[in-house]
Amino acid sequence: MKINGNKIEGLVFDMDGLLLDSERIVQRSWELSGKELGIEGMGQQIYHTLGMNAKSRRQYFKNAISADFPYEEFQKLTSKYFYQITDTEGLPVKKGAAELLEYAKTHDYKTAVATSSSRKYAERVLTDAGLYQWFDGGVFGDMVTKGKPDPEIYLRACESIALRPENGLAFEDAPGGIRSAVAAGLHTIMIPDLLRPTEEIKKLIYRKFADLGEVIPFLEGSV
């Protein structure tokens, strides 16, 4: 397919909240960790940090909560609670994710992941979900200097699969990721998760769908 005269040759995906229904579990783990540390309302902080990498989140917590926010201890607790939840309940794959990735690979689209999560975590959860096999490349939050909404992660994800941004589609669920992908020059599709698109975001995105399964008919030109 073509968009504005550019042939789409590659698909670049965010991960948390887009491929995996992980953001709500992260939110629960933050709330539990906050209570253990005596900090109320930590779960609500996720709405302000979606798409941030670890470096950006650390600075956000220092500014929004306290200068001596115990980041390392908080990270250990959230990891503990996150895996307690997922070991018991599983980590759901978002509707249409597996089908779209398989479709992409069987229809000669290059694929990459551009996630703010660390490489170790991302590779683990994507492998456990049976999705990692479908990717040709990717860039993770601990591989970039600047997190979303800076375009660095999307530019480098495109480089990892030799894709020119104007020939790529980016898939995102959060405003910071949308701004990152658009700034990198990709055509961007939003699949909302925790946050609905604002009027500003609606003007930035190319299309919006309820789930990734709706993207296949779009790529085939039937919607």
Side-chain angles (χ1 to χ4, degrees):
M1 69 171 301
K2 289 187 177 182
I3 296 178
N4 299 330
N6 297 302
K7 182 181 178 182
I8 300 303
E9 299 174 346
L11 311 181
V12 186
F13 297 83
D14 176 45
M15 185 183 75
D16 292 297
L18 187 279
L19 296 173
L20 303 174
D21 196 6
S22 51
E23 299 288 23
R24 290 170 179 80
I25 298 175
V26 170
Q27 186 175 31
R28 289 165 61 190
S29 71
W30 281 19
E31 187 68 20
L32 291 166
S33 300
K35 288 181 178 179
E36 189 164 332
L37 293 171
I39 305 171
E40 293 298 323
M42 277 303 299
Q44 294 302 305
Q45 297 296 336
I46 196 172
Y47 294 104
H48 304 289
T49 62
L50 291 171
M52 289 185 181
N53 62 11
K55 180 180 178 181
S56 299
R57 280 197 305 273
R58 180 194 294 265
Q59 189 59 50
Y60 170 82
F61 290 146
K62 285 186 176 182
N63 294 337
I65 300 173
S66 70
D68 59 351
F69 181 81
Y71 185 79
E72 283 74 17
E73 187 176 359
F74 178 74
Q75 285 292 92
K76 290 178 182 177
L77 289 171
T78 56
S79 179
K80 178 187 75 171
Y81 284 120
F82 180 88
Y83 288 115
Q84 280 182 2
I85 295 169
T86 56
D87 287 347
T88 302
E89 303 175 13
L91 179 54
V93 176
K94 282 284 194 171
K95 182 179 179 181
E99 292 82 358
L100 176 56
L101 285 167
E102 183 175 4
Y103 175 89
K105 294 309 298 175
T106 56
H107 288 76
D108 299 321
Y109 288 102
K110 302 174 184 178
T111 55
V113 62
T115 175
S116 297
S117 292
S118 69
R119 181 168 192 160
K120 181 178 178 181
Y121 164 78
E123 289 182 344
R124 173 178 172 175
V125 294
L126 287 172
T127 299
D128 288 348
L131 301 180
Y132 196 60
Q133 61 178 318
W134 300 113
F135 288 101
D136 300 311
V139 175
F140 308 90
D142 50 0
M143 295 170 62
V144 296
T145 303
K146 300 177 181 178
K148 301 174 185 179
D150 189 272
E152 180 186 3
I153 193 166
Y154 272 101
L155 290 171
R156 291 189 57 186
C158 288
E159 291 174 1
S160 76
I161 54 173
L163 174 71
R164 296 175 61 181
E166 62 267 29
N167 297 124
L169 270 179
F171 297 88
E172 272 283 352
D173 67 288
I178 296 291
R179 296 188 186 98
S180 173
V182 170
L186 289 100
H187 310 283
T188 307
I189 290 177
M190 186 176 194
I191 314 291
D193 185 39
L194 291 181
L195 295 173
R196 301 294 99 184
T198 62
E199 290 304 313
E200 175 216 353
I201 295 299
K202 288 178 182 178
K203 293 176 183 177
L204 293 178
I205 59 177
Y206 183 73
R207 293 289 293 272
K208 176 175 74 71
F209 294 110
D211 62 65
L212 290 167
E214 294 184 358
V215 177
I216 294 176
F218 166 73
L219 292 174
E220 293 179 334
S222 59
V223 295

